[in-house]
Amino acid sequence: MTWAMRKGFAVYPRTISWIAISVGGLAMFLIFGSWFLVSYPLGSIMRGYFYGVNSSKDLDFVISLGNQNATVLAHDSNLDLVPKKFPSDEVIVDKKIESESNPPPQSSSNRPANDESSNVIDKDLLPKSKSPDAMISSSQSVPENKEKRDEGTIPSVVSSKESKDGIDTSKSENAEAGGSVSKGSISNSSDTDMGSKNPDPLPTNGSTASDLGCDLYHGTWVYDSAGPLYKNNSCPVLSQMQNCQGNGRPDKEYENWRWKPSQCNLPRFDPKKFLKLMNGKTLAFIGDSVARNQMESLLCILWQVEVPKNRGNKKMQRYYFRSTSVMIVRIWSSWLVKQTNEPLDFAQDGVVKLHLDAPDDHFMEFVPNFDVIVMSSGHWFAKQSVYVLNNEIVGGQLWWPDKSRRMKVNNIEAFQISVETILTALATSPNYTGLTIVRSYSPDHYEGGAWNTGGSCTGKDRPLAPGERVENKFTNIMHDKQLSGFNAAIKKLKNKSRLVLMDITEAFEYRHDGHPGPYRNTDPNKLTKRGPDGKPPPQDCLHWCMPGPVDTWNELVLDIIRRDFEGNQHFSS
């Protein structure tokens, strides 16, 4: 052994110093490694590895932050941290995915209910057993018109057990209550004081709704001084067209009106409770741009407690909340049924053919991975398309070149068929055991004409009172056709999934103040008032401002999920 000696110092073997250096280095390594494991859980890293990370290419998603544009780089297109593997991304989800990019909406106002060629809305339009008390018999169907809806309960929650065994409980739930309303609980909204500024106290958290006797969809809009759950400049995924404050809308009162059911309180959305209930699960919004509107509302609310990771790819938008492994998904599907463009019989190449008897295969492959699906559709049935049943052309919208042939199916009938088709596909899919929430038809508020013929919602700054609401015949018939499709589907329920009708149509007919109107962009020179000739500026009276009434949809979704999961031990947290 070599000794190092120096006058005035103790004698140490040279190797001891190297030992000290090694021990120090090891200590530093352990400290750094512990910090790394805490910050980036090994389980997530390994899942990402085993779920097929084979590309370093990032996808860009352009979003808006207040009035500024920002670009968020997505993670690898194949990466999925939810413990369910999605198929590889070799197929690109439609060119349609953002052909939804915000052209002007169309109107359903002042239209004949059976008009086959009228333009309605918008080019912008994207466990598993339940306790008997939470079930109804599939033989009980949703009433198919408003008069019937007001006379009694509207059952909406159906399980395969009921469908198979014919269980008929005495506590049949109302459709609007998401499976927790007892018979005779409906209260006519005309009896309420719509637009009251002296509401009953509104709950800020928890649930005060009686699960046995609360009809969530008949009530009143009340003013809540607490304000919205987020601000327009506190959510980076808010589409600019729905950023009404960022686009210069001068009034803000529309943000403060909250929905108050007649017989109970609808709790304010609790983001932490939502993430806890959905722990390890996936919620998917599937549909048109109104579905996107609702998805962004949910993300904006959740963003206030946790910033999600963007896991989006070419097939879908995906946002992952690391703390609870919750994934929020959005898939664009404008009609929810299969689309083709190839020539068929006397329909030329290029025009969209809708196979009304086949679900959209762009998203059906993912359905087994979803625990909750929120469906949205209807407005694209105003657009040009050809209707096909059994590979035979049976009708069309804004298309019927051969007048000598009889059209068998118009656009509103096609909508009903499409609803039955997609819900039946979900109700019979052998590998789907989730909760499907069918959000009913979202009303628009073009007054005085269609979107391109002078229709307007300019200057509307508070909800309508009961005596002020004007019946929209087209909205009503689309709503009733949707209910007919829902009723037909629940009778075919075979798997362990559940179907719930979230019937928002009537309540939201009062919210003509909640649309962007002319405040659709940041252009400082945009027209916001009628011109000298009385003509209104271009505007959007279909989509919803954010924050705004659309946030109520997610409060309802949370209440439906809570009631479903709490009656389902596999889902309780």
Side-chain angles (χ1 to χ4, degrees):
M1 180 178 291
T2 303
W3 296 82
M5 300 185 64
R6 191 172 174 189
K7 187 174 181 181
F9 289 87
V11 179
Y12 297 97
R14 184 171 294 170
T15 53
I16 292 178
S17 61
W18 289 108
I19 292 174
I21 293 172
S22 300
V23 170
L26 180 60
M28 293 296 293
F29 175 81
L30 291 174
I31 293 171
F32 176 81
S34 300
W35 170 83
F36 182 84
L37 288 174
V38 171
S39 301
Y40 304 93
L42 183 59
S44 297
I45 296 171
M46 296 306 291
R47 280 198 302 273
Y49 178 80
F50 287 111
Y51 274 61
V53 178
N54 56 15
S55 170
S56 60
K57 183 178 179 180
D58 287 334
L59 299 173
D60 292 343
F61 289 84
V62 178
I63 59 177
S64 65
L65 176 58
N67 291 335
Q68 298 176 344
N69 290 328
T71 300
V72 174
L73 296 179
H75 288 255
D76 183 83
S77 61
N78 292 318
L79 182 60
D80 179 10
L81 293 185
V82 167
K84 294 178 178 179
K85 184 174 180 180
F86 287 90
S88 61
D89 295 331
E90 67 277 3
V91 182
I92 296 180
V93 105
D94 39 309
K95 312 161 243 185
K96 320 176 276 273
I97 199 157
E98 301 300 343
S99 68
E100 51 175 314
S101 298
N102 300 316
Q106 302 172 359
S107 173
S108 64
S109 300
N110 304 319
R111 274 166 56 118
N114 60 354
D115 185 359
E116 298 175 355
S117 62
S118 46
N119 266 334
V120 171
I121 305 234
D122 177 3
K123 185 179 179 181
D124 179 18
L125 299 181
L126 171 356
K128 305 194 175 175
S129 59
K130 292 183 68 67
S131 62
D133 286 347
M135 300 177 179
I136 65 167
S137 169
S138 64
S139 64
Q140 296 174 299
S141 59
V142 178
E144 296 180 6
N145 59 53
K146 179 171 296 207
E147 289 73 27
K148 291 181 182 178
R149 290 202 303 276
D150 287 344
E151 289 171 0
T153 59
I154 305 177
S156 72
V157 180
V158 182
S159 76
S160 59
K161 182 177 179 182
E162 299 155 6
S163 186
K164 181 179 179 181
D165 300 336
I167 295 175
D168 185 7
T169 70
S170 61
K171 292 183 180 180
S172 299
E173 287 81 10
N174 185 294
E176 295 85 3
S180 56
V181 177
S182 58
K183 268 191 175 182
S185 63
I186 289 187
S187 169
N188 194 314
S189 62
S190 64
D191 296 333
T192 63
D193 181 17
M194 186 70 65
S196 170
K197 271 208 174 186
N198 297 302
D200 294 333
L202 291 166
T204 56
N205 51 51
S207 174
T208 60
S210 168
D211 286 1
L212 297 178
C214 177
D215 169 16
L216 291 176
Y217 293 117
H218 287 80
T220 184
W221 291 96
V222 296
Y223 191 83
D224 180 15
S225 59
L229 294 162
Y230 60 95
K231 302 296 183 184
N232 69 295
N233 58 3
S234 68
C235 180
V237 293
L238 195 163
S239 290
Q240 192 64 51
M241 283 190 69
Q242 278 73 66
N243 186 356
C244 299
Q245 290 298 305
N247 293 334
R249 180 167 173 171
D251 62 301
K252 294 189 68 173
E253 191 172 285
Y254 66 90
E255 296 182 345
N256 290 69
W257 295 93
R258 294 195 64 239
W259 180 245
K260 171 67 171 66
S262 299
Q263 301 168 337
C264 60
N265 286 321
L266 177 66
R268 288 173 69 87
F269 192 101
D270 184 340
K272 293 181 180 179
K273 181 173 185 176
F274 174 87
L275 292 173
K276 183 180 179 182
L277 278 172
M278 288 292 295
N279 186 22
K281 299 174 180 61
T282 298
L283 183 150
F285 292 95
I286 302 176
D288 52 29
S289 61
V290 183
R292 181 206 65 212
N293 204 169
Q294 184 177 358
M295 182 272 288
E296 290 180 354
S297 164
L298 178 60
L299 285 176
C300 286
I301 296 170
L302 298 177
W303 210 283
Q304 308 311 303
V305 298
E306 181 179 349
V307 176
K309 302 295 181 182
N310 189 334
R311 303 299 190 203
N313 58 38
K314 293 179 181 179
K315 283 199 168 186
M316 67 182 75
Q317 289 179 280
R318 290 185 290 182
Y319 289 88
Y320 176 72
F321 291 83
R322 186 186 295 273
S323 66
T324 51
S325 297
V326 171
M327 187 78 84
I328 304 299
V329 168
R330 174 183 168 249
I331 302 178
W332 171 258
S333 181
S334 46
W335 285 282
L336 300 180
V337 293
K338 183 178 180 180
Q339 306 171 42
T340 57
N341 289 316
E342 296 76 17
L344 177 65
D345 196 4
F346 62 101
Q348 71 275 24
D349 183 21
V351 63
V352 174
K353 288 85 178 173
L354 300 182
H355 296 260
L356 299 175
D357 49 2
D360 186 349
D361 51 12
H362 283 115
F363 67 80
M364 283 303 296
E365 62 177 308
F366 302 117
V367 161
N369 298 284
F370 301 148
D371 301 286
V372 180
I373 294 176
V374 181
M375 306 295 293
S376 170
S377 67
H379 298 293
W380 274 68
F381 282 87
K383 296 184 64 62
Q384 185 187 60
S385 51
V386 178
Y387 303 140
V388 180
L389 283 172
N390 297 318
N391 290 319
E392 176 191 354
I393 296 175
V394 294
Q397 169 67 0
L398 300 180
W399 179 92
W400 195 250
D402 190 347
K403 304 301 181 184
S404 66
R405 297 174 182 251
R406 184 176 70 88
M407 184 185 294
K408 302 176 183 178
V409 176
N410 63 19
N411 62 329
I412 57 177
E413 292 163 341
F415 176 49
Q416 175 180 335
I417 297 169
S418 74
V419 172
E420 179 179 350
T421 293
I422 183 55
L423 295 183
T424 299
L426 295 175
T428 58
S429 175
N431 297 318
Y432 176 56
T433 58
L435 169 66
T436 301
I437 300 173
V438 182
R439 199 256 304 130
S440 67
Y441 191 79
S442 177
D444 67 64
H445 290 89
Y446 291 95
E447 298 177 4
W451 70 275
N452 57 350
T453 60
S456 171
C457 53
T458 296
K460 310 300 182 182
D461 58 6
R462 60 181 296 150
L464 287 163
E468 298 173 343
R469 183 170 67 96
V470 177
E471 292 284 335
N472 186 312
K473 293 182 179 180
F474 185 79
T475 293
N476 288 346
I477 198 169
M478 290 293 279
H479 175 270
D480 293 341
K481 291 295 184 181
Q482 188 178 31
L483 296 190
S484 296
F486 179 91
N487 287 336
I490 63 177
K491 295 175 183 178
K492 303 174 185 178
L493 187 61
K494 294 181 180 179
N495 58 21
K496 293 182 179 180
S497 68
R498 285 89 63 214
L499 296 176
V500 178
L501 176 69
M502 193 174 89
D503 197 348
I504 57 88
T505 306
E506 181 178 330
F508 275 74
E509 287 181 334
Y510 291 93
R511 293 309 310 268
H512 64 163
D513 59 320
H515 302 291
Y519 300 99
R520 302 183 303 162
N521 57 61
T522 58
D523 180 6
N525 299 315
K526 61 178 172 287
L527 299 176
T528 60
K529 297 181 180 179
R530 292 181 180 269
D533 57 355
K535 184 178 180 180
Q539 52 195 288
D540 179 358
C541 302
L542 169 66
H543 298 95
W544 303 94
C545 290
M546 294 173 53
V550 68
D551 302 321
T552 302
W553 293 357
N554 291 313
E555 291 180 331
L556 295 167
V557 163
L558 173 55
D559 207 58
I560 291 170
I561 290 173
R562 178 187 64 80
R563 297 176 187 194
D564 181 83
F565 285 13
E566 287 177 356
N568 207 323
Q569 294 198 354
H570 260 359
F571 279 93
S572 5
S573 52

